[in-house]
Amino acid sequence: MKRLLALILSVCFVLPLLAQQTQKPVLHGSSWMAITGKPLAATAGAMIFQKKGNAVDAACAMLAAACTMWDTLSWGGETQVLIYNPKTKKVIAINAMGFAPTGATPEFFKNKGLNFPPEYGPLAATTPGTPGGLIYMLANYGTMSLEQVLEPAMQMAAGYPIEAQAANIMERYKPMIKAWPYSRKVFLPHSPAVVAGGQNAAVSQREAPEAGEIFVQKDLLETLGKLVEAERNALKRGKGRKDAMMAAYDRFYKGDIAREFVRGCQEQGGLITMGDLAKWKPVEEEPLMVNYKGIEVYKLQQWTQGPVMLQALNILENFDLKAMGYNSTKYIHTLYQAMNLAFADRDFYYGDSYLPPAEPIKGLLSKEYAKQRAGLIRYDKNDVSIGPGDPYPFEGKKNPYLGLLKKRGYELDTTKRNFAPKHDMGNNSAPELYQDRLWRGTTSVEAADKEGWVVSITPSGGWLPACIAGNTGVGMSQRMQSFVLDSALNPFNVVAPGKRPRVTLSPSLALKDGRPFLASAVQGGDTQDQNLLQFFLNVAEFGMNVQQASEAANINTNQLWLSLGGTKLTDREPKPGQILLHDSTPEMVRGDLKKMGYTLSFDDRTSGPINAIYFDWKHGSLWGGSSNHGEDYGLGW
């Protein structure tokens, strides 16, 4: 009887949701759709579409504008892209993640008393990936010039009215910013030291810009101008469109911009060399894909956490989720357990797919492996002993890391696993710090046009408080912190020069019947693929439209190793059984989950800001969804 009542409650909960007015309207368009994390950046995309650019052109303009606004990313960060090419009818991926610089070894950081590379400052920086990634996708899949696409960002660098969010972050972090002279010059224009050119001590009055103040970035404007100048000069010499853009690329990574970037980085204690910049390049790669009930879901390779969503979908395909009811006790429990199983594999098996050792991704994404993992789910309580599985037999191989797993405290024989691994129990971090690390940074860019081009990007890095490299105006990435220093945590993700860290950044694309179905991305660190998984299920299983799905109540599991924040093990350790629920969760569901061993927390925000585009082939239109959290914004036509 109690189970029946719980099911009735879950149905009563979802039906009003499907009928209710969303806080933000669905966006509709037939020609194009442009959505991103900042209103001005969305406007930049619309400007490009109005000039007859395609979705790749518009996405590049939005990316450039968002990078110029700082609070979620900047030009020295990294860019991860999925593109649907209507000419080939295929999804391609662009890996524009920077790599670890010369001298970045486990011993280097351990000698500084760290368990992970630092969160902030020059030693947190990988090589910048966003400029190269933007130029690469524009040159190969766009139609416009770099000058045209950078024009909105350059206008903004010349001066734009800064929003309160970024301005207040600059003020809040001014003690840290003052340690970096080039950041101080840009972010604290009202600092006496900047105004007078002296070295005055910290003062109490506001030193960052005020909301609405015209924020000027002369150095960044000069850097962007140099890129445009290189393109112009190459065109004058008779070079073609792509070669002209590569001239701009070379100026950033090998020319005078690179020299100033390296000088400024090393002056402040960073490791990046000219050789590092010259050696790095973006990579076009095959995305990973699983078929979920007839829908092809695409993610980037295992240097991101993207495959965790694919693994979770494979596991959940073994259950009738719709019959459970949206956010019923059984649905929440099954979802939580499936995500834990996938994240346990992520935490141990994911890493840079371009350097050895080779990750067992074929086994991890096999349906048979997923069925085995699904069989581990207990229905009476949360399983705190969930650890990495053994995907190697599903590739016809023997696991070379069995000894390492046992050393870490995992027992692969599930009949013997009746304890929680010591590494994965407890977390003494302050709750507010933990949540900050869970939600930190990043934005998303979604674009589509009537020709069929679709772009989904999750760019990040160089967010406030950023350390600017010399007089370039370019903030350095903070992505080194996503490496580990100990192979016992993850033998595939140990820091090394020339290696990419395993990042949280994870755009999504889905095709149905051979045509685009959904494009989506979200900010939020380790919660990204939790949120995108639930967003996808909201549409595919529960029939929500994209705006309803982006605003819908999610759950978050904390039973995973954090990828960002803190340099001690205790800063990153999982919190088994901890779950974030929406404030609207019914009391009966709350009570059931407590009895099952969950530790509950609540918020009216249970997802990072999701941006998404749905393709309505019946009517030949585009539906845009943009989260009701944060400053995310979209435009359509």
Side-chain angles (χ1 to χ4, degrees):
M1 183 65 186
K2 185 177 178 182
R3 296 296 97 199
L4 178 61
L5 182 57
L7 178 60
I8 292 171
L9 283 173
S10 69
V11 172
C12 290
F13 182 65
V14 71
L15 288 179
L17 178 67
L18 294 174
Q20 75 178 15
Q21 178 70 35
T22 51
Q23 292 185 24
K24 290 169 69 172
V26 178
L27 297 166
H28 289 290
S30 58
S31 296
W32 53 262
M33 190 69 64
I35 312 175
T36 188
K38 296 286 183 180
L40 282 178
T43 302
M47 291 166 63
I48 296 299
F49 273 130
Q50 295 285 51
K51 294 177 181 178
K52 308 303 181 183
N54 73 3
V56 177
D57 299 319
C60 288
M62 288 191 279
L63 173 60
C67 284
T68 307
M69 300 179 76
W70 285 101
D71 66 323
T72 56
L73 76 162
S74 75
W75 278 96
E78 46 272 354
T79 291
Q80 290 66 225
V81 189
L82 291 172
I83 298 175
Y84 177 76
N85 183 340
K87 297 178 180 179
T88 63
K89 301 189 184 306
K90 290 185 177 180
V91 177
I92 62 102
I94 296 173
N95 173 344
M97 178 65 233
F99 57 48
T102 300
T105 64
E107 294 70 31
F108 176 83
F109 294 108
K110 287 179 179 179
N111 288 338
K112 295 181 177 296
L114 305 175
N115 295 129
F116 299 94
E119 297 177 67
Y120 297 111
L123 291 178
T126 56
T127 54
T130 291
L134 186 154
I135 291 171
Y136 180 90
M137 66 172 154
L138 181 64
N140 288 280
Y141 299 105
T143 65
M144 302 179 82
S145 68
L146 184 62
E147 181 174 8
Q148 289 173 304
V149 164
L150 292 187
E151 182 181 358
M154 293 180 70
Q155 290 181 22
M156 292 173 66
Y160 75 94
I162 194 170
E163 74 283 6
Q165 181 172 316
N168 290 339
I169 294 174
M170 292 174 187
E171 181 68 16
R172 186 187 320 147
Y173 283 99
K174 66 182 178 182
M176 186 182 297
I177 290 170
K178 288 178 180 180
W180 308 318
Y182 304 101
S183 296
R184 181 174 192 159
K185 179 175 69 169
V186 174
F187 300 139
L188 305 178
H190 305 305
S191 166
V194 172
V195 173
Q199 296 297 321
N200 297 35
V203 291
S204 59
Q205 72 263 23
R206 187 178 181 95
E207 300 174 63
E210 297 179 353
E213 180 178 335
I214 302 301
F215 178 51
V216 178
Q217 302 173 71
K218 293 181 180 179
D219 289 343
L220 178 61
L221 179 60
E222 183 177 348
T223 293
L224 298 179
K226 288 178 178 178
L227 297 178
V228 169
E229 181 182 60
E231 181 188 47
R232 282 180 184 167
N233 289 340
L235 290 171
K236 288 178 181 177
R237 295 194 303 270
K239 297 291 185 181
R241 177 178 173 274
K242 289 185 180 180
D243 287 341
M245 288 189 195
M246 289 312 298
Y249 177 100
D250 286 344
R251 189 167 187 179
F252 188 94
Y253 287 95
K254 301 175 184 177
D256 56 341
I257 299 173
R259 288 191 291 273
E260 178 58 18
F261 185 97
V262 169
R263 186 202 66 78
C265 171
Q266 294 185 357
E267 176 193 329
Q268 297 174 96
L271 299 174
I272 297 172
T273 68
M274 286 293 291
D276 293 326
L277 292 185
K279 193 181 301 181
W280 180 87
K281 62 180 180 179
V283 180
E284 183 172 323
E285 62 187 26
E286 286 285 331
L288 298 174
M289 184 273 288
V290 300
N291 189 302
Y292 179 84
K293 299 183 179 180
I295 301 172
E296 295 179 349
V297 183
Y298 291 83
K299 304 291 283 190
L300 292 160
Q301 292 188 15
Q302 63 271 19
W303 57 272
T304 74
Q305 71 170 350
V308 83
M309 177 175 164
L310 305 183
Q311 284 192 248
L313 285 172
N314 278 347
I315 293 170
L316 292 169
E317 200 171 31
N318 292 281
F319 303 93
D320 188 346
L321 301 179
K322 191 172 183 178
M324 293 179 186
Y326 168 74
N327 279 1
S328 65
T329 300
K330 189 172 183 180
Y331 178 75
I332 290 172
H333 175 69
T334 305
L335 190 64
Y336 189 96
Q337 299 306 306
M339 291 195 298
N340 289 351
L341 288 161
F343 275 104
D345 283 340
R346 179 206 74 165
D347 291 342
F348 189 78
Y349 288 116
Y350 289 18
D352 188 348
S353 50
Y354 296 94
L355 291 177
E359 300 82 5
I361 195 65
K362 181 179 178 182
L364 288 168
L365 294 183
S366 78
K367 297 288 188 180
E368 294 78 14
Y369 178 65
K371 190 171 184 178
Q372 182 195 76
R373 296 291 270 172
L376 298 177
I377 294 178
R378 301 179 58 168
Y379 291 97
D380 57 336
K381 63 179 180 180
N382 176 53
D383 187 354
V384 299
S385 67
I386 285 174
D390 186 1
Y392 282 91
F394 298 89
E395 296 186 349
K397 301 174 183 176
K398 183 177 180 181
N399 193 333
Y401 299 103
L402 293 178
L404 196 57
L405 285 166
K406 289 184 178 180
K407 179 182 175 182
R408 184 173 167 181
Y410 289 120
E411 174 55 67
L412 291 178
D413 183 347
T414 56
T415 64
K416 298 179 181 177
R417 190 190 298 159
N418 56 5
F419 60 91
K422 63 180 181 178
H423 275 306
D424 293 5
M425 285 300 291
N427 188 308
N428 297 320
S429 300
E432 64 275 10
L433 290 177
Y434 187 88
Q435 288 303 317
D436 175 63
R437 291 167 188 148
L438 205 60
W439 295 96
R440 179 172 299 165
T442 316
T443 191
S444 58
V445 174
E446 304 298 309
D449 63 39
K450 64 181 179 181
E451 301 302 322
W453 288 97
V454 186
V455 186
S456 182
I457 313 177
T458 311
S460 191
W463 58 75
L464 292 170
C467 181
I468 293 177
N471 294 306
T472 63
V474 173
M476 290 184 275
S477 169
Q478 299 96 343
R479 198 55 62 175
M480 286 283 289
Q481 63 184 298
S482 291
F483 280 113
V484 302
L485 306 182
D486 186 350
S487 61
L489 290 178
N490 182 337
F492 302 92
N493 190 37
V494 179
V495 67
K499 188 174 185 177
R500 298 169 181 83
R502 196 279 300 151
V503 300
T504 56
L505 308 164
S506 187
S508 297
L509 269 179
L511 307 184
K512 188 175 183 180
D513 300 323
R515 298 185 294 187
F517 174 64
L518 275 178
S520 59
V522 66
Q523 74 178 59
D526 293 293
T527 67
Q528 284 183 39
D529 278 295
Q530 299 185 47
N531 299 154
L532 291 176
L533 170 67
Q534 292 168 81
F535 168 83
F536 174 82
L537 294 173
N538 289 343
V539 176
E541 292 283 3
F542 298 106
M544 299 183 198
N545 69 42
V546 281
Q547 189 60 38
Q548 291 168 335
S550 71
E551 294 187 15
N554 275 2
I555 69 165
N556 288 174
T557 173
N558 293 345
Q559 195 165 315
L560 50 81
W561 279 88
L562 288 180
S563 304
L564 302 167
T567 56
K568 302 296 181 185
L569 289 174
T570 51
D571 296 327
R572 305 279 191 103
E573 289 174 339
K575 294 183 173 183
Q578 286 214 1
I579 185 171
L580 176 65
L581 299 168
H582 196 269
D583 288 340
S584 60
T585 304
E587 286 297 330
M588 178 170 287
V589 173
R590 298 183 186 201
D592 287 345
L593 291 171
K594 286 180 181 177
K595 291 175 184 177
M596 298 169 78
Y598 290 101
T599 302
L600 315 185
S601 59
F602 300 92
D603 204 331
D604 62 350
R605 172 185 174 180
T606 53
S607 169
I610 296 171
N611 291 319
I613 300 172
Y614 167 76
F615 300 86
D616 182 352
W617 293 103
K618 179 181 178 181
H619 301 103
S621 61
L622 304 168
W623 293 50
S626 183
S627 174
N628 55 330
H629 294 305
E631 300 179 313
D632 294 63
Y633 200 81
L635 296 165
W637 190 253

